[in-house]
Structures are given as structure tokens and as C-alpha cells.
Amino acid sequence: MTCMIVGGGVAGFQAAATCRALRLEQAVTLIDAENEVGYYRTLLPQFMVGALPEEKLFFRSGDADPLLTMRRGVRVRSLDRSACTLTLDNGEVLTYDRLILAHGGEPFLPGILAGPPCRGIFPVRDLTTARETKSWLADHRKVIVFGGSLVGVKTAVHLSQAGFEVSLVVRRGHILLRALSEDSAAVVEAHLRNLGIEVCVNAAMEDLRIRDGQIDALKAGGRWLSCSTLLVAAGISPDTSFLEGTDLLTDGELVVSPALQTIDPRIFAAGDVAVIASGGEKISPNTWPQAVSQGRLAAENLYRSSPLPHRDWSRINAMELHGLAMVVLGPPLVGAEVISHARPETSVRRELFLVDGKPVGGALIGDISAAGTLHALINAGRPLTLRDAGLLRPQTGNVIRFPEQTGRRKALILSPKRSSL
Amino acid sequence: MKVIGVHMDRCTGCKTCELYCGAERGSEKKTLLAAVQETPPPQPRVRVEGGLDGAFPLQCRHCLQAPCIDACLTGALRRDEKSGMVIIREDLCIGCWTCTAFCPYGVIYPSPKRKIALKCDRCLYMEKPVCVDVCPTKALEVVELEGIEDLLRERRLQTLNVMLANGGEGIRLLDFERSE
Ligand SMILES: Cc1cc2nc3c(=O)[nH]c(=O)nc-3n(C[C@H](O)[C@H](O)[C@H](O)COP(=O)(O)OP(=O)(O)OC[C@H]3O[C@@H](n4cnc5c(N)ncnc54)[C@H](O)[C@@H]3O)c2cc1C
Ligand code: SF4
Ligand code: SF4
């Protein structure tokens, strides 16, 4: 009666911890392809550039739990739903009673990198690669970061702060294409340039120049850019190859219900691998907080006769880009109404996207006050009032807009003066 | 679990709690006079909301299902097992501000200069929270969460009695029945 979890990232870890806390008698097995599990993937950029010691990467380890088995360094090769078994790459077959798929995403690598092996090219995703990157970077200080994702931008900033010469090369028209509007991205790009980072947009990867088996230059957007290191942070694509033929995939994606259940009631998914079908929309937030909350919910739902839906599908992401704070409240939508406050002289731009008068996303750049309250408003799913809209003003001090009952308060304050209350 | 309770009717919005929290928990020298001269300026972890027609000191509610803990990218935010308080381990915080976007009350404060997030920890390692100590109207009080309903009932009754003794003034504005 084992609960099996594929993937020892944060979603898998959270799921395992929740399973153990909820069902004290039930054994849990966690399987992960990496040799190390339980680390903060989000801290890899700091680690790579030498700004964070390796021991700070790992989760706190509690007491050893005899009913929690960690299988490291083994990859799941196939799933047999009718027999309820998983086959590992070492040939071992494991039986599950319930299964949580939390195997995250593999870094997306442009086709051009599939050529002959070349030193100095690294994806930004896992600890083993991050260690190699770190030692390579020690004497290869001219770096191109390819990919304008949040990971790419974050990595570029940490490199530049550590004294590397950095170019950020982006395929499309602006950085953070899936997170920010063009206007917000412009504020961030200007800040990156101020930090000394060269930002190249509309620059798809076209060619590589390799010298002595190592990267020497990258041709992107028609221009050759020399470099001694190429870091790829061009997004992720979940590896669903071992699920082929199981009927769990829709167009190659692991699509689940808002309760994170697949079409097989014994199998759930959580974290970066899960694509949630909700209200005709497909959502894959791909954020750390979502991986945590989804991991927990999947574990809670495993034995519920009617699994509960997740309540917060927000794609909140926050970053401190060395002097420029930003919070992404939700991606821009075509056709949405935009309300904004901009103070270009201080690199501040705060905007909300509204659909049918309801806030659905937005971004706070340079001034992140009231971020939590705006997030709560988006979740509330009700039309924005004038009072709410005031939260978007820069330097919002008054973030809780609770309706005041002035009359009541006056009456109550009167009494102590007249008596000894 | 002990938390800081607020007697909303007693708060006059004087911001004494903000000032002293900033000086005691945010400054090096711990006196108001020295604190205002420090850089970076000391930051309080309590904020007085509202204005003249009603004020309210707001600090971390130490939510039982705290969204900020789930959001933290580094494990810096955690629950102190003994006290049940939600605390930030400053040595682990990288100042990414993710948690600030997950607190619906807006009571986690970025400190960009110190590159860490700040929040109320109910002055866990002190005898009594500073804000509770300094509030001139005793609007703040440390209360045991389990006994909160009893406390509220007692306060309502007390207020009712005072109002009855004063010719019923304000009674129609109380949100409970006269029969209580
Ligand atoms: C450098 C970096 C910085 C980031 N910064 C932020 C940030 O600031 N804010 C934010 O919100 N998010 C950030 N993210 C994203 C965030 O880290 C992810 O959303 C989150 O880690 C996803 O967790 P997960 O458990 O779903 O997947 P993962 O963490 O990817 O874990 C999946 C695990 O499954 C294993 N696995 C895969 N296939 C198999 C298989 N077939 N068999 C066995 N094991 C398998 C993998 O080895 C991996 O260990 C960042 C990501 C990176 C890489
Ligand atoms: S910081 Fe906010 S979300 Fe976190 S426990 Fe306190 S009130 Fe709750
Ligand atoms: S700012 Fe600090 S406490 Fe908040 S999420 Fe980031 S690391 Fe965690």
C-alpha cells in the first residue's frame, strides 16, 4: 500500500512530507533521477556565481523516517496503469497504491545545441550542472545568458553583480515575454543595461563558433557575440516520454483537473510537470510557491472520494534585481484593460490587467508595496472598486481597505471618557 | 498559541507602537533619538492603518496556514515549533520579496538596504512585545488564542454595562443583542 512519488523537487518533497503527516501508517517512496534531492533550485544562480555556499542549498533535514524511502539516481522509465507499477531504468519494478507525478521540467535547449559536444555550454536547472558551471566560470568570465525567462534574467543579474561580463540574449521582442507587458519589460531592460548587462532582443540562436572544443561565440539576431560561457535559460519542457501510451497525456502534456487528478483516479500530478485544465483554460504556473502548494494538495487529495480543487492559480513571481524590486502578479492578456501608474524617472511602473472589470494580473516594478493585498484581490475574483484601484498608487501605505464603521467607533471611544472602562 | 490582540476601540492612531517597534527591533542603538539618525532608517514591523475616523495597528497574524511560508524560496520563513510564531531566519533570507506578495495583510516589509524581509515575530525572545508595552491606551495585548472567544464575550459585556450606565449611548451600534 505504498504511495509513490516521481520527482524529488520541491513539489515531490512537499507531497512526501504531507503524505507522511496525514497517514502515519502508510509508506512513501520518492524516486528521483538526480543524485541529490531536497535542495532549493531557486538558489542555483547565487551558488553558481559563488555568492552562496553549497550547504545553504539544502532543505532542513528532520529525523530519519523509516517509512519514507528516497530512491536517488534512478529514473522512471515506464508506467503500467493496469498493474499499478513503475519500471526504473535499472530494471526494477515498483508497485504503487497511489501515484504522484512531480517530475518537473527539463530545460529547453534550442535545436542548434544538439550538435557535437562543446565545453562551456550549460543549462540552468540542476545542482550537478550548477557545480560544473561554477568551476567552469572560475576562469571563463565572458558569459552569454540565452533566454529572457525569469531564470535567465535572475542569472544575468547575479553574474553581473559577481563581476562577470554578461550579455542577455532573448529570442523575442522583449525580456520576460510571458510575464510582463512591453512597457514593464522596458523598465526592467533599462535597469539591466544600467547594471552593465548587454541586452539583445529579437535575437534567435543561429549559429555557434567552437574553438578547441569549447564555445567561442554565438550568432544571434544576425550578430556574432563572443563568449567563453553560454548559459541556457530558455524555459522548460516537461519530460513526459515515460508516460507515452498510458493515455495520461493530451497533446504530449500531462493535463490534470483543478484537483490535480489525472484521468486515472489513482494518479495525481503536481508542480512544473502539471498542466491544469480550469474553465477552458490551460494553466502551468511553473513557480516555486505553486509547486509547494500543489505538492501538498495532491497528497491531501490522494484518498479523498471527491478531491478538492486548488484555490489559488496565481503565477506570482518576485525578484530583487540589485536595486530594482519587482513582483509579477499575473501575465498580460490580449484585449485586457490596463490601469497603471508610471514614474519613469524613478524606474517605477505599477499596472493591473482587468477583464470584465476584474483584476486578473499585473506587475509592480520598482515599488512593490501592497503586492500581497493586490494578489488577494486577484484571487477574490470580484470587480475592482475605485478604492481597490487606489492600491496601485506608488508607495501605498494604507494597504488594508476595510470598510470603516465610523459611527460605531465614535460611540465606543466616547464611553471610556465617561467611565472607568 | 499566544498572539497580539488588538482592542480596536482603544486605538487612537498615535503610532507610538510603530515608533518604538522601529527603534527597538530595527535600530542599532535602541533609543528613539539615535534611531531617527541611523542609516538605513530603522523599519517598524507594525503598521497603523486607517486615519482619524478609525485606526488599527496591524502586524503579522501568524496564520495557521501561512501562505508566506509556502512561498519562501529559501526556507527562511518557518514556524517556530515552540511558540507557533511565523518567523524569518534572517541569515537564510535572500531578499527576493516573494513572501511579501503572498501575505494578504501586507505585513512583511522589504528592507532593500539590508536585503532581507522583515516581519513581526511577537518579540519572541523578549519578555513582552515592545508595541504592547508602550501603547498608551493599552489597545494591544498579548492574548492566548484558545481563550479569545471568552475574552471577546467578556469585553462585549463590559462595554454593554458601561453603555447602559450611560443612558444607553452607542448601544444600537454594538454588534450583539441586548439580551446577551
Ligand atoms: C535557477 C532557477 C531559479 C528559479 N527561481 C525561481 C524564483 O525566483 N521564483 C519562483 O517562483 N520559481 C523559480 N524557479 C522555478 C522553480 O524552481 C520551479 O517552479 C520548482 O522548482 C518546480 O518544482 P518541481 O518539484 O515541480 O520540479 P523540479 O524541481 O524540476 O523537480 C523535478 C525532479 O524530478 C526529477 N525527475 C525528472 N524526471 C524524472 C524521472 N523520469 N524519474 C525520476 N525522477 C525524475 C528531476 O531530476 C527533478 O529532481 C526557478 C528555477 C530555476 C531552475
Ligand atoms: S506574514 Fe502575513 S501570511 Fe505570513 S503568517 Fe503573518 S499575516 Fe499570515
Ligand atoms: S524575501 Fe526572504 S523570507 Fe521572503 S521569500 Fe524571499 S527568502 Fe523567503
Side-chain angles (χ1 to χ4, degrees):
Chain A
M1 288 296 275
T2 301
C3 167
M4 209 72 76
I5 299 169
V6 184
V10 71
F13 244 76
Q14 186 67 51
T18 309
C19 282
R20 289 295 304 123
L22 286 179
R23 295 173 285 271
L24 294 176
E25 324 283 76
Q26 193 187 28
V28 175
T29 301
L30 187 116
I31 306 158
D32 196 283
E34 285 183 56
N35 291 322
E36 279 122 331
V37 291
Y39 63 86
Y40 293 99
R41 210 170 280 286
T42 46
L43 292 176
L44 291 179
Q46 286 94 319
F47 165 70
M48 267 165 21
V49 306
L52 193 84
E54 187 167 318
E55 62 269 19
K56 284 211 175 173
L57 287 179
F58 291 93
F59 296 175
R60 253 192 313 177
S61 55
D63 298 333
D65 177 351
L67 286 182
L68 175 61
T69 311
M70 303 267 189
R71 301 294 311 270
R72 301 184 184 86
V74 279
R75 188 168 273 276
V76 174
R77 275 284 167 244
S78 65
L79 162 68
D80 182 344
R81 276 174 53 202
S82 50
C84 289
T85 56
L86 290 172
T87 307
L88 308 184
D89 56 2
N90 60 7
E92 212 177 323
V93 178
L94 303 172
T95 310
Y96 63 82
D97 183 52
R98 292 286 189 280
L99 176 65
I100 298 178
L101 298 169
H103 54 282
E106 300 287 322
F108 171 79
L109 296 176
I112 193 172
L113 298 179
C118 167
R119 284 178 292 131
I121 304 180
F122 307 93
V124 186
R125 184 73 192 174
D126 63 284
L127 179 56
T128 312
T129 316
R131 282 198 192 110
E132 290 164 21
T133 315
K134 187 179 178 191
S135 64
W136 176 268
L137 281 171
D139 37 28
H140 298 88
R141 304 192 65 84
K142 193 160 184 195
V143 187
I144 291 180
V145 179
F146 182 79
S149 63
L150 283 145
V151 177
V153 171
K154 220 165 102 160
T155 305
V157 169
H158 284 295
L159 283 163
S160 125
Q161 287 320 300
F164 290 84
E165 194 180 323
V166 189
S167 306
L168 180 63
V169 176
V170 182
R171 231 174 329 173
R172 306 284 185 75
H174 66 75
I175 60 163
L176 299 168
L177 192 80
R178 291 216 253 138
L180 295 185
S181 69
E182 200 178 336
D183 292 325
S184 291
V187 180
V188 182
E189 282 174 14
H191 175 74
L192 296 184
R193 291 192 174 105
N194 276 341
L195 292 179
I197 299 170
E198 182 186 19
V199 183
C200 314
V201 295
N202 288 318
M205 208 184 261
E206 287 156 6
D207 205 354
L208 296 178
R209 193 163 67 217
I210 300 172
R211 184 166 292 167
D212 304 329
Q214 73 181 55
I215 179 87
D216 184 56
L218 169 75
K219 189 178 179 196
R223 243 177 91 202
W224 278 102
L225 301 157
S226 72
C227 67
S228 51
T229 311
L230 172 61
L231 301 183
V232 185
I236 53 159
S237 58
D239 173 17
T240 50
S241 54
F242 76 89
L243 298 174
E244 263 153 35
T246 58
D247 289 339
L248 293 180
L249 302 178
T250 312
D251 300 329
E253 290 178 330
L254 181 57
V255 179
V256 293
S257 72
L260 306 173
Q261 198 170 31
T262 65
I263 53 156
D264 183 333
R266 289 166 176 265
I267 306 180
F268 290 73
D272 282 5
V273 74
V275 176
I276 297 97
S278 170
E281 226 194 317
K282 276 192 189 170
I283 312 167
S284 37
N286 292 359
T287 65
W288 181 273
Q290 279 285 348
V292 175
S293 54
Q294 290 181 25
R296 179 182 303 117
L297 181 70
E300 287 170 351
N301 275 345
L302 279 182
Y303 288 92
R304 280 186 177 139
S305 50
S306 7
L308 298 178
H310 197 7
R311 279 179 309 190
D312 181 357
W313 289 120
S314 60
R315 288 164 236 192
I316 306 282
N317 227 312
M319 273 198 280
E320 168 65 43
L321 299 173
H322 196 78
L324 187 81
M326 64 177 268
V327 172
V328 177
L329 293 168
L333 288 178
V334 183
E337 186 190 340
V338 182
I339 56 170
S340 65
H341 281 271
R343 301 212 173 134
E345 66 290 355
T346 47
S347 298
V348 170
R349 184 177 171 88
R350 293 164 62 85
E351 63 188 13
L352 273 184
F353 310 128
L354 310 181
V355 171
D356 300 331
K358 295 176 191 162
V360 292
L364 309 173
I365 316 282
D367 170 4
I368 59 167
S369 51
T373 323
L374 288 165
H375 175 190
L377 268 182
I378 292 174
N379 277 352
R382 61 166 168 78
L384 197 78
T385 63
L386 215 60
R387 192 191 262 271
D388 298 335
L391 291 171
L392 203 58
R393 274 196 297 271
Q395 294 300 318
T396 295
N398 197 353
V399 299
I400 303 285
R401 305 267 159 163
F402 52 93
E404 280 302 335
Q405 297 173 332
T406 42
R408 167 186 162 152
R409 197 169 294 270
K410 272 186 192 128
L412 290 171
I413 289 171
L414 269 179
S415 14
K417 285 189 192 150
R418 292 198 176 180
S419 74
S420 58
L421 181 73
Chain B
M1 186 169 119
K2 285 198 170 85
V3 295
I4 297 176
V6 181
H7 299 279
M8 287 179 70
D9 54 326
R10 292 186 190 164
C11 175
T12 60
C14 70
K15 295 187 184 257
T16 307
C17 52
E18 270 190 28
L19 269 177
Y20 279 85
C21 175
E24 181 61 39
R25 299 302 309 279
S27 85
E28 301 274 326
K29 302 236 171 67
K30 312 283 178 217
T31 67
L32 275 183
L33 190 64
V36 292
Q37 301 174 53
E38 278 179 22
T39 36
Q43 281 173 272
R45 296 145 196 241
V46 52
R47 181 181 73 237
V48 180
E49 289 276 340
L52 287 177
D53 56 355
F56 181 85
L58 190 71
Q59 65 296 89
C60 172
R61 309 282 81 215
H62 301 283
C63 307
L64 294 179
Q65 287 181 356
C68 59
I69 298 184
D70 281 0
C72 179
L73 299 189
T74 68
L77 259 162
R78 51 184 62 173
R79 194 175 293 281
D80 178 64
E81 307 224 329
K82 216 164 109 211
S83 64
M85 295 294 100
V86 175
I87 56 169
I88 295 183
R89 282 259 319 256
E90 294 187 356
D91 57 330
L92 298 180
C93 175
I94 53 163
C96 68
W97 318 140
T98 308
C99 54
T100 69
F102 277 81
C103 171
Y105 302 100
V107 290
I108 307 186
Y109 304 97
S111 172
K113 290 266 159 51
R114 295 175 59 201
K115 294 195 169 56
I116 51 170
L118 300 173
K119 70 179 282 300
C120 169
D121 55 9
R122 210 202 60 202
C123 291
L124 204 51
Y125 307 106
M126 293 162 58
E127 209 173 303
K128 203 173 176 195
V130 193
C131 54
V132 173
D133 230 10
V134 300
C135 175
T137 60
K138 298 275 168 275
L140 292 163
E141 193 185 341
V142 176
V143 290
E144 185 60 57
L145 203 56
E146 281 73 40
I148 200 81
E149 265 309 314
D150 296 344
L151 189 91
L152 285 178
R153 182 167 290 272
E154 191 187 313
R155 291 252 321 125
R156 287 186 191 128
L157 212 62
Q158 220 178 356
T159 317
L160 178 72
N161 287 336
V162 171
M163 287 180 169
L164 283 175
N166 285 281
E169 186 182 351
I171 260 181
R172 67 190 167 83
L173 297 159
L174 288 175
D175 47 3
F176 66 101
E177 294 297 314
R178 199 180 268 255
S179 57
E180 277 198 58

